Amino acid sequence: MATTGTQRHGDANVTKAAALLRRGGLVAFPTETVYGLGALATDGRAVARIFAAKGRPSFNPLIVHVPDLAAAERLAVFDPLARRLAAAFWPGPLTLVLPLKEGHGLSPLVTAGLDTVALRVPAAPLARALLAEVGGPLAAPSANPSGRISATRAAHVRAGLGDAVDMVLDGGPCPVGLESTILRSAPLALLREGGLAAETIEAVTGPLPRDVTPGRVQAPGQMSSHYAPSLPMRLDVTAPDPEALLIGFGPVAGDLSLSPEGDLVAAAAALFDTLHRADAEARARGASRIDVAPIPETGLGRAINDRLRRAAAPR
Ligand code: TXA
Ligand code: MG
């Protein structure tokens, strides 16, 4: 399939992207969290291309993106709590893991043979326009090579996946910058910290049990090493070291900073782009490591620290 360039958004590009998807193509598109690598979720060959493009293990299931709750209810069984969560947080950075509904029509590759499916209604205008025009569910993992830093800009997608993608819809930088928070509704559990802070969800659900056991394929970042730059990383560093490039936060200035003001929302939005830049800059100046300042473990800080710990994990 012909490869097209990175496309600035506009109706013509959405139409073109939707046509490519309906023919089994792979289109990267922006969501408010990170860029997704999309394929029609009912087309097994197209979904197989996602795994190939990312080098992703096929036992790791994909998130399915739908335009609204009605479309979600055609694929999965919603209990009252799931419906309340959807009403409170969709569209937005929340993914719900729910029992598959009979006659769902999804390729079994999408769910990796599980009897549940992870569903999301994204809020980003370009993602919504694309879903409306495609008219079917889109399977879309983050648009990065498996295990590497996620993409929050079209240029990250191009650099990471190159010609394996048929088209990249460019919606500019992703405003949230962290993958969606993943919840299972029955039994209720937080499977992945993400762009919707757990405290915000707990205002609706009450205390959330966490089920983030590494090594079990049911949560993201189940692999302990993930989101990894090419250089090793060290966390909770407060003083510069000539061997390393330092990513600062708040009072720790660093060579780059996630947020000089110490704002966690800004730090989340900047996280993956800063990791991409730090990796390139550290290599350019001959540093052998990336150090990161401490980030508080509250609100989005927990999701940021989750990503950083996996980025720094032994590989
Ligand atoms: O914000 C996001 O969630 C982005 C955008 C593109 O939507 N997507 C994303 O996808 O982060 P990905 O594939 O990088 O992470 C999805 C995670 C995977 O780690 C997978 O294990 C988990 O969701 N997942 C998918 N289906 C599941 C299921 N049925 N049960 C439990 N976990 C599931
Ligand atoms: Mg990912």
Side-chain angles (χ1 to χ4, degrees):
M1 189 168 300
T3 294
T4 55
T6 295
Q7 307 289 317
R8 273 271 149 210
H9 70 85
D11 291 352
N13 288 325
V14 169
T15 302
K16 186 172 160 186
L20 273 167
L21 287 163
R22 282 194 298 264
R23 292 206 303 269
L26 292 192
V27 173
F29 62 94
T31 79
E32 69 277 24
T33 59
V34 298
Y35 276 73
L37 177 60
L40 204 55
T42 49
D43 180 340
R45 284 174 60 108
V47 174
R49 288 187 62 206
I50 293 181
F51 287 93
K54 281 183 61 92
R56 179 177 176 117
S58 60
F59 55 78
N60 194 1
L62 306 178
I63 295 178
V64 175
H65 298 64
V66 288
D68 51 33
L69 178 59
E73 295 213 38
R74 289 196 284 274
L75 303 175
V77 181
F78 280 68
D79 60 21
L81 176 61
R83 243 182 233 117
R84 251 168 62 217
L85 288 164
F89 300 116
W90 279 356
L94 173 69
T95 294
L96 293 174
V97 171
L98 301 162
L100 272 168
K101 189 168 192 166
E102 211 175 314
H104 55 76
L106 299 171
S107 160
L109 275 177
V110 170
T111 54
L114 300 173
D115 52 9
T116 54
V117 61
L119 293 175
R120 206 188 142 203
V121 177
L126 216 44
R128 300 189 64 72
L130 185 63
L131 284 164
E133 188 132 353
V134 173
L138 290 180
S142 52
N144 52 278
S146 187
R148 309 317 297 252
I149 310 170
S150 305
T152 52
R153 293 169 183 257
H156 300 158
V157 180
R158 279 265 160 241
L161 297 174
D163 288 349
V165 189
D166 297 311
M167 180 175 174
V168 181
L169 272 176
D170 187 346
C174 300
V176 175
L178 294 170
E179 291 83 354
S180 60
T181 301
I182 305 186
L183 276 190
R184 185 182 60 211
S185 76
L188 179 66
L190 179 69
L191 303 184
R192 172 173 76 178
E193 304 269 9
L196 182 65
E199 291 91 328
T200 310
I201 301 171
E202 286 177 329
V204 172
T205 59
L208 270 180
R210 276 147 171 90
D211 189 351
V212 289
T213 326
R216 291 169 65 187
V217 174
Q218 49 154 346
Q222 335 50 355
M223 330 283 179
S224 51
S225 168
H226 209 83
Y227 315 105
S230 68
L231 291 174
M233 287 181 56
R234 206 175 59 174
L235 307 183
D236 295 317
V237 177
T238 50
D241 172 337
E243 288 290 294
L245 182 139
L246 177 59
I247 298 178
F249 176 82
V252 178
D255 300 288
L256 302 169
S257 179
L258 288 175
S259 167
E261 296 75 31
D263 178 334
L264 289 169
V265 174
L271 178 66
F272 290 128
D273 186 53
T274 304
L275 287 178
H276 282 285
R277 283 170 47 213
D279 207 23
E281 280 186 34
R283 297 176 72 87
R285 70 163 81 157
S288 57
R289 202 179 62 235
I290 299 169
D291 287 350
V292 189
I295 310 290
E297 188 75 8
T298 57
L300 290 185
R302 273 205 304 276
I304 295 172
N305 283 323
D306 168 81
R307 304 304 187 265
L308 288 172
R309 280 191 290 269
R310 294 180 203 281
R315 301 173 198 162

